[in-house]
Amino acid sequence: MAYGGPFPIDQQVADFLAREPTLFIGGRSVSACSGDTIAVYDPSSGAEIARVPNADASDVDAAVQSAFGAFEDGRWRHMRPADRERILLRFADLLLERGEMVAQLETLEQGKSINLSRMFEVGATSEWMRYAAGLTTKICGRTFETSLPGGPNHWTSYTRREPVGVVAAIAPWNFPVLIAAWKIMPALAAGCSIVLKPSEVTPLTALLLAELAIEAGVPEGVFNVVTGDGAGTGAALTGHPLVAKISFTGSTATGKAIGRAAIDDMKRVTLELGGKNPAIVLKDADLDKVVPGLIAGGFVNGGQVCAAASRVYVEAPLYDDLVGALHAAISSLSVGAGLDAEAQVNPLVSAAHQAKVRSYIEEARTAGSDLLVGSPVPEQGYYVSPTLVLNPEDKVRLAREEVFGPVLGILRVDDAEEALARANDSQLGLAASLWTRDLTAAMNLVPRIEAGTVWVNAHVYIDPNMPFGGYKQSGVGRDFGLDWLDAYTETKSVCINH
């Protein structure tokens, strides 16, 4: 297969697309036992551009056995932390060196703007990789006093942090490189081995990452990639008895299923799940900040962001002005393929997801909601025009479920208390934002918002040093920050009588 679109791509990218479908196991590209393959499509046209294996249980077993063997013989976990850190820093460097290749490949399979691919999938990812690499040499235990017989002078007690084992990492399709790195890097930094399963919609860059890891010096078998669907490949991976830890990012429904299956073997799990993220806009908010902030927070990457703003509660005095300004903004956005650096509205990831987002919008329209639609989009490709849904009724799915598309529900409220009550009236609690010039109001409301991350006068900004995860059904555990590796290690208490 090959890309035949109107925009030029690097020869390295063209060559990568033309490869035979393979997995990455034991430090090299290998053919799958399964003869089944999955097509990869260009979202801007719907054209097939590549194929990858749909790995079966035997393929998954080979990958997990490879990772387990590498963990057991200690080729990575027993390496000096400073040497592991050096290799992981080289891994980050290689991502930057191949940055344009990575960015183009990501845009071709995912649909996002090439600007976003360069900024997030390459630039931001390299920063997260360096942060995690630095934690390799910061793994610490504690010493502590005990009240055991004979007194503290007869005992020395301390804790060790030890790598958990083989990590099954399942990455989503919205930021395939960035979120894969959020799983790969802490696992490797902790001394674990890993089997990564990217989304079947966006599998190509995961295979490239594995090649870069080996080039950087990660030993063979430590980092493996299997491609395939969730029902077959994903289930075989998460259910494998040699997997000790699962890191999953995706929908709440799938995360629950993984959590239920993991408990049978007491696998450790980190689940970063969906969000129905509110933005509360008080009447004193600065529209010059709110409008661009909500455009970015609600529509970046076509709204395909777990922390994206999706429902906006606006105090009545500011409602009409904000709606008018947001409509003008979305109507002015240019539309086009991700490889068009001038285009601001790009296609969604797949035909199936396009149909899902459209179904939410049509249901709201049928229920009587007023819709304000932005720039018109082409019929070819998986486009959905940015849309404002005004005061949707609670009974429509769009009001309560994660749409994961370029759709904002804008709701008029009487005051901040009503906004807070409606914002918290959700089973999800990943992120939220508050927009006000009143410092006292901000400091009083932030502790009452039920979300893992709350921004004030901003939305969707994250940083490697700031822990990220959800309240309620938006997940289990936290990524990032100084304690990031804790989820990839076990705590062992040691007690010595002397």
Side-chain angles (χ1 to χ4, degrees):
M1 297 299 166
Y3 169 70
F7 299 95
I9 60 173
D10 287 356
Q11 187 59 48
Q12 285 183 312
V13 177
D15 293 343
F16 195 94
L17 295 175
R19 291 183 181 182
E20 291 296 317
T22 58
L23 308 173
F24 196 91
I25 299 174
R28 66 187 189 277
S29 298
V30 299
S31 298
C33 296
S34 165
D36 189 19
T37 60
I38 295 174
V40 182
Y41 298 97
D42 172 8
S44 70
S45 66
E48 182 177 329
I49 56 172
R51 299 193 78 85
V52 295
N54 189 17
D56 63 15
S58 61
D59 294 313
V60 170
D61 181 64
V64 175
Q65 293 287 353
S66 173
F68 184 74
F71 183 78
E72 285 293 289
D73 70 22
R75 69 187 74 164
W76 179 247
R77 64 178 171 134
H78 292 159
M79 190 181 291
R80 289 194 324 140
D83 293 331
R84 293 207 311 271
E85 179 185 45
R86 174 181 49 78
I87 290 170
L88 295 180
L89 289 171
R90 176 59 180 152
F91 188 11
D93 290 342
L94 287 173
L95 178 70
L96 286 179
E97 290 176 17
R98 312 287 169 80
E100 186 59 20
M101 179 184 180
V102 173
Q104 289 185 20
L105 198 60
E106 197 53 85
T107 288
L108 280 170
E109 68 174 349
Q110 201 275 340
K112 65 164 57 74
S113 167
I114 188 66
N115 301 317
L116 290 180
S117 289
R118 290 165 180 157
M119 182 184 303
F120 292 109
E121 306 286 19
V122 177
T125 299
S126 68
E127 293 182 358
W128 255 276
M129 291 174 75
R130 288 194 177 96
Y131 184 95
L135 297 178
T136 305
T137 54
K138 316 298 186 301
I139 300 172
C140 299
R142 295 184 298 119
T143 61
F144 45 89
E145 296 292 314
T146 63
S147 298
L148 296 171
N153 289 337
H154 291 273
W155 301 88
T156 297
S157 301
Y158 61 94
T159 57
R160 290 172 48 86
R161 304 292 311 196
E162 300 179 352
V164 68
V166 176
V167 174
I170 301 179
W173 47 254
N174 58 330
F175 287 93
V177 178
L178 179 62
I179 299 180
W182 293 351
K183 303 176 184 307
I184 297 163
M185 294 303 291
L188 296 183
C192 300
S193 297
I194 185 168
V195 179
L196 170 67
K197 193 201 89 67
S199 167
E200 62 269 31
V201 182
T202 55
L204 302 177
T205 45
L207 296 164
L208 179 56
L209 283 175
E211 294 179 12
L212 296 181
I214 296 300
E215 185 176 344
V218 174
E220 296 179 356
V222 171
F223 179 13
N224 308 271
V225 177
V226 291
T227 58
D229 59 29
T233 312
L237 178 58
T238 57
H240 198 289
L242 295 181
V243 167
K245 150 84 179 178
I246 301 169
S247 176
F248 170 80
T249 298
S251 72
T252 296
T254 303
K256 287 180 178 179
I258 288 172
R260 285 191 291 267
I263 202 67
D264 286 342
D265 294 326
M266 288 297 171
K267 291 180 171 68
R268 278 47 179 156
V269 291
T270 304
L271 304 173
E272 197 266 278
L273 307 178
K276 187 64 181 170
N277 309 301
I280 297 173
V281 183
L282 302 188
K283 60 188 177 184
D284 71 312
D286 183 352
L287 275 182
D288 290 338
K289 288 186 177 179
V290 177
V291 174
L294 290 181
I295 292 296
F299 297 110
V300 70
N301 197 28
Q304 299 167 122
V305 181
C306 57
S310 62
R311 50 195 174 113
V312 183
Y313 299 100
V314 191
E315 283 195 291
L318 199 62
Y319 178 85
D320 290 337
D321 288 342
L322 178 57
V323 168
L326 286 173
H327 188 211
I330 65 173
S331 299
S332 69
L333 299 176
S334 58
V335 180
L339 287 176
D340 179 359
E342 302 301 317
Q344 297 164 297
V345 176
N346 310 116
L348 302 186
V349 71
S350 68
H353 190 59
Q354 177 196 43
K356 178 183 176 182
V357 173
R358 284 179 171 175
S359 74
Y360 280 106
I361 296 171
E362 288 308 309
E363 182 189 16
R365 189 197 308 274
T366 302
S369 298
D370 291 327
L371 306 183
L372 298 178
V373 181
S375 305
V377 296
E379 288 298 318
Q380 185 183 42
Y382 311 140
Y383 292 89
V384 172
S385 183
T387 302
L388 306 179
V389 182
L390 306 185
N391 296 300
E393 296 183 11
D394 285 345
K395 66 180 180 181
V396 300
R397 291 181 303 137
L398 177 145
R400 306 195 68 81
E401 297 179 11
E402 183 179 42
V403 177
F404 221 62
V407 182
L408 271 181
I410 315 292
L411 301 102
R412 185 195 307 264
V413 295
D414 290 334
D415 53 33
E417 288 299 318
E418 181 187 354
L420 179 70
R422 297 182 72 175
N424 287 341
D425 183 20
S426 173
Q427 293 182 327
L428 304 176
L430 185 60
S433 61
L434 173 65
W435 302 80
T436 180
R437 289 185 258 203
D438 186 338
L439 178 61
T440 299
M443 298 304 289
N444 287 338
L445 286 171
V446 164
R448 301 171 63 195
I449 296 173
E450 297 170 358
T453 298
V454 178
W455 296 280
V456 177
N457 295 326
H459 198 107
V460 90
Y461 286 88
I462 56 177
D463 184 87
N465 205 36
M466 186 171 72
F468 184 76
Y471 278 29
K472 298 186 272 192
Q473 294 188 28
S474 284
V476 175
R478 293 293 184 272
D479 288 319
F480 318 155
L482 296 177
D483 301 323
W484 197 1
L485 303 194
D486 287 358
Y488 295 86
T489 60
E490 296 280 19
T491 299
K492 176 180 288 182
S493 292
V494 180
C495 185
I496 302 173
N497 181 4
H498 50 81

